[in-house]
Amino acid sequence: MSAGKCEVCLEEKPKLVTCGRCGSRKYCGAACQRKDWPTHKHACQPKKQPSWILKITIPDSREPQIWRTLVCPDGATFQELHYAIQIAFGWAAAHSYDFVARDPTADERPVDDIRALIARRMGQDAGEQRDFGPRQNYIRIVNPNDDKHIDSLHSYDRKHSQTPEKKADKVHVGEQFNKNEWKNAEWEYMYDHGDEWGHEVEIIGRGNVDDAFKCTDGNGHGIAEDAGSMRGWEELKDAYRAAKPTDEQKKRMHWFENLAKNFDPEGLKGRESHVDLSLINALLKTSMDCMD
């Protein structure tokens, strides 16, 4: 509370109450605040909070490991964070995705034998919800356009009857990262439920109040879309490392430089750790502006 003039009765008071939601309106007391709310609620916007600084890593990547540091606005939706990750890692946004808050105390899921896998797939095809082992996640935040991607068929194994799901375009980052119920959660972003490109999302700090995404650091060239999981990516890197590439390796390099959804005409030779932060940030700015 501080000295000033009430914005409803206009009386000067030694101490005023500030609107706890936006912090911009001041009142002499609760009565004036209640009287003002029917009008003020239309303009009242939550006070902007500091951005989140996230280190996002593809943990299965090696030599080099691929990671980016992103500044993410507190008010961003998880759908916006998805697009920012796509840009930062050079993905082509051609597949489905989800975010999960993993419970670090959850029991491991069993490894299926082929008969159990077939039985579960048949149950899923029949529209049955069959939980695959114990609950793993506190919450699952899903692609609102999941049904438009063929790889969404593989996402059934990430569903669980005890795990609530929300649409990524309706959920804000700050709301979830601040949840006391899962403050110890390990966040994961999964892109392409077929190839399963898992990304660990680590909260490493808070920044300034910011409306824009920024990529401040990183390592490792973006992975080729549809490379065929990590094994396919490693085989592509081996092709560029070969002193005398085989015909098959030459085909792989031609595909990456000309035909991949996120092709790179410069290839990978000598560029495996390459990250162009200026280009990423230019794309973040123009792409996110288009979403406004």
Side-chain angles (χ1 to χ4, degrees):
M1 302 179 79
S2 58
K5 184 181 292 187
C6 174
E7 298 192 50
V8 176
C9 66
L10 303 181
E11 289 189 25
E12 290 192 7
K13 298 283 184 178
K15 293 182 179 180
L16 296 176
V17 175
T18 302
C19 174
R21 189 165 185 260
C22 67
S24 63
R25 299 280 286 179
K26 295 184 178 181
Y27 308 98
C28 61
C32 280
Q33 186 173 11
R34 285 194 297 269
K35 183 178 179 180
D36 188 44
W37 181 242
T39 301
H40 175 53
K41 68 180 179 181
H42 300 294
C44 185
Q45 296 294 324
K47 193 186 326 184
K48 291 182 179 179
Q49 299 296 320
S51 298
W52 298 85
I53 303 174
L54 310 174
K55 184 175 181 181
I56 304 172
T57 304
I58 301 179
D60 292 338
S61 59
R62 295 288 185 273
E63 298 180 359
Q65 188 162 75
I66 303 169
W67 57 271
R68 306 286 187 265
T69 301
L70 276 181
V71 175
C72 173
D74 181 78
T77 65
F78 276 88
Q79 185 176 46
E80 290 170 327
L81 177 56
H82 154 69
Y83 284 119
I85 294 172
Q86 289 285 300
I87 291 169
F89 284 84
W91 293 117
H95 298 279
S96 194
Y97 70 91
D98 67 16
F99 292 86
V100 295
R102 292 196 304 245
D103 180 354
T105 67
D107 294 333
E108 292 292 327
R109 285 180 170 176
V111 177
D112 267 344
D113 59 32
I114 188 63
R115 285 178 296 182
L117 177 62
I118 292 172
R120 194 170 75 252
R121 287 282 186 256
M122 290 175 67
Q124 291 164 352
D125 291 343
E128 300 176 25
Q129 175 64 57
R130 294 190 177 185
D131 292 340
F132 176 33
R135 179 191 63 81
Q136 298 288 301
N137 306 310
Y138 294 115
I139 190 171
R140 181 173 181 244
I141 300 170
V142 301
N143 179 5
N145 302 308
D146 193 53
D147 58 343
K148 295 182 180 179
H149 299 278
I150 191 168
D151 64 289
S152 65
L153 296 172
H154 297 282
S155 72
Y156 279 109
D157 287 340
R158 294 171 68 79
K159 293 177 178 287
H160 198 283
S161 61
Q162 297 175 42
T163 301
E165 293 189 359
K166 292 189 176 184
K167 301 289 188 182
D169 60 340
K170 304 297 184 185
V171 188
H172 293 88
V173 168
E175 171 194 341
Q176 298 300 317
F177 287 171
N178 273 319
K179 285 274 190 184
N180 285 329
E181 299 96 307
W182 45 76
K183 62 182 178 181
N184 63 335
E186 298 171 348
W187 283 90
E188 176 190 65
Y189 167 74
M190 180 66 75
Y191 174 60
D192 186 348
H193 296 299
D195 281 349
E196 293 190 321
W197 301 112
H199 303 61
E200 290 182 351
V201 180
E202 180 187 1
I203 301 168
I204 60 174
R206 302 297 295 268
N208 298 323
V209 174
D210 205 324
D211 292 325
F213 282 93
K214 294 183 180 69
C215 185
T216 59
D217 203 357
N219 187 62
H221 192 290
I223 293 173
E225 195 92 15
D226 297 324
S229 71
M230 194 57 69
R231 179 178 177 179
W233 176 241
E234 291 298 325
E235 289 174 350
L236 179 62
K237 290 195 296 181
D238 288 342
Y240 279 98
R241 293 167 179 167
K244 293 182 179 180
T246 64
D247 288 343
E248 181 61 31
Q249 288 176 323
K250 289 177 182 178
K251 287 180 183 178
R252 286 181 181 275
M253 291 188 287
H254 175 80
W255 169 79
F256 178 58
E257 294 172 17
N258 299 276
L259 302 174
K261 291 185 179 74
N262 55 347
F263 70 93
D264 185 345
E266 295 185 54
L268 277 179
K269 197 170 189 65
R271 304 177 69 246
E272 291 183 11
S273 296
H274 177 74
V275 180
D276 189 338
L277 293 178
S278 60
L279 176 60
I280 290 172
N281 284 307
L283 291 172
L284 283 172
K285 186 178 188 310
T286 56
S287 298
M288 294 305 173
D289 286 347
C290 290
M291 293 182 67
D292 292 341

